[in-house]
Amino acid sequence: MVGKVRISPSILAADMAHIAAELHRLEEGGADMVHVDVMDGHFVPNISFGSKFVHDMAAITSLPLDIHLMVSDPYRWIPEFYDLKPYSLLFHLEATPLPVRLLQDIRAHGILCGLAINPSTPWQHLESIAPILDMVLVMTVEPGFYGQSYLPWAGSKIEAIDKNIRPRNQNLIISVDGGVNEKNAPHLAQTGADILVAGGSVFKGESYKDNIDRLRNT
Ligand code: DX5
Ligand code: ZN
């Protein structure tokens, strides 16, 4: 682990009709960034929101944007977000056999570049490309929806990536996404996760701050 675990609440689980208030609650609650799930209804069986909505969000929040694209054509959609100077731009390894040019292009824009891998994708598929990655996003549910149950066998890839890939890229940031809650958060942080993405376990109850603190203080 590079430092203390950071929390990236997934806005997909927010009340979209009150997005300004929801972002404000995350800011007050001490979120480190906000995770933004862009879905095209093709790579995953759901549609969330697109560039316009993300630009409107960016205009009203000071939180860094952690953008996760679940789209079949990342070359088409990634450049839509360059002007926002997000914290990170992540797309799926499964979406293209040619990720290198796009990763390099994201980095050239001064943005952290990363690849997400689905639960069924072996961590070894990241090995050869590790030197040019700033981040990896390990999916611990099949992407498409918030509120699904954590898949422990997918979470075990965190430790393998920490042990086998991090030594070859000391600055690599490992993020985990899907079913993260206060029960599995300690284990995920201990085995090497730097960022915990969390939807359902943040956007519930009275206090998002308490929920975020519970996840962070693992
Ligand atoms: C799933 C998304 C996740 C999701 C996380 O496709 O990538 O970011 O919103 O939500 P939870 O934490 O509820 O699984
Ligand atoms: Zn996500």
Side-chain angles (χ1 to χ4, degrees), residues 17-202:
H18 299 97
I19 199 68
E22 294 282 65
L23 286 165
H24 187 63
R25 289 179 77 183
L26 293 184
E27 288 162 14
E28 298 278 291
D32 294 288
M33 58 192 85
V34 58
H35 185 83
V36 180
D37 288 305
V38 175
M39 302 178 184
D40 66 353
H42 189 260
F43 182 76
V44 287
N46 195 10
I47 295 173
S48 57
F49 41 73
S51 166
K52 164 79 164 64
F53 181 78
V54 182
H55 279 73
D56 288 353
M57 270 180 50
I60 57 167
T61 186
S62 56
L63 291 171
L65 305 179
D66 176 37
I67 302 182
H68 175 196
L69 279 95
M70 285 154 275
V71 299
S72 294
D73 188 357
Y75 277 90
R76 161 70 183 87
W77 294 110
I78 287 271
E80 296 265 337
F81 302 96
Y82 285 155
D83 64 314
L84 290 176
K85 293 277 175 228
Y87 171 74
S88 59
L89 273 171
L90 315 168
F91 61 98
H92 273 258
L93 180 59
E94 299 86 359
T96 172
L98 304 171
V100 174
R101 269 185 302 122
L102 190 53
L103 291 165
Q104 290 172 333
D105 199 47
I106 294 169
R107 242 194 205 172
H109 283 80
I111 301 162
L112 297 183
C113 68
L115 286 174
I117 55 168
N118 286 332
S120 60
T121 300
W123 64 266
Q124 288 91 339
H125 288 195
L126 295 168
E127 253 179 328
S128 55
I129 204 168
I132 65 161
L133 291 177
D134 296 312
M135 284 177 75
V136 299
L137 181 69
V138 176
M139 292 301 304
T140 43
V141 298
E142 287 209 321
F145 304 91
Y146 74 91
Q148 302 179 78
S149 297
Y150 173 76
L151 300 169
W153 48 271
S156 67
K157 284 187 272 184
I158 303 274
E159 189 167 13
I161 292 167
D162 185 56
K163 289 218 167 79
N164 296 288
I165 294 189
R166 188 139 34 208
R168 294 204 268 141
N169 179 350
Q170 300 283 346
N171 296 321
L172 186 73
I173 297 167
I174 303 175
S175 185
V176 55
D177 185 7
V180 174
N181 57 39
E182 54 263 40
K183 290 201 189 82
N184 54 35
H187 180 69
L188 291 167
Q190 280 152 23
T191 53
D194 302 299
I195 297 175
L196 305 179
V197 175
S201 61
V202 168

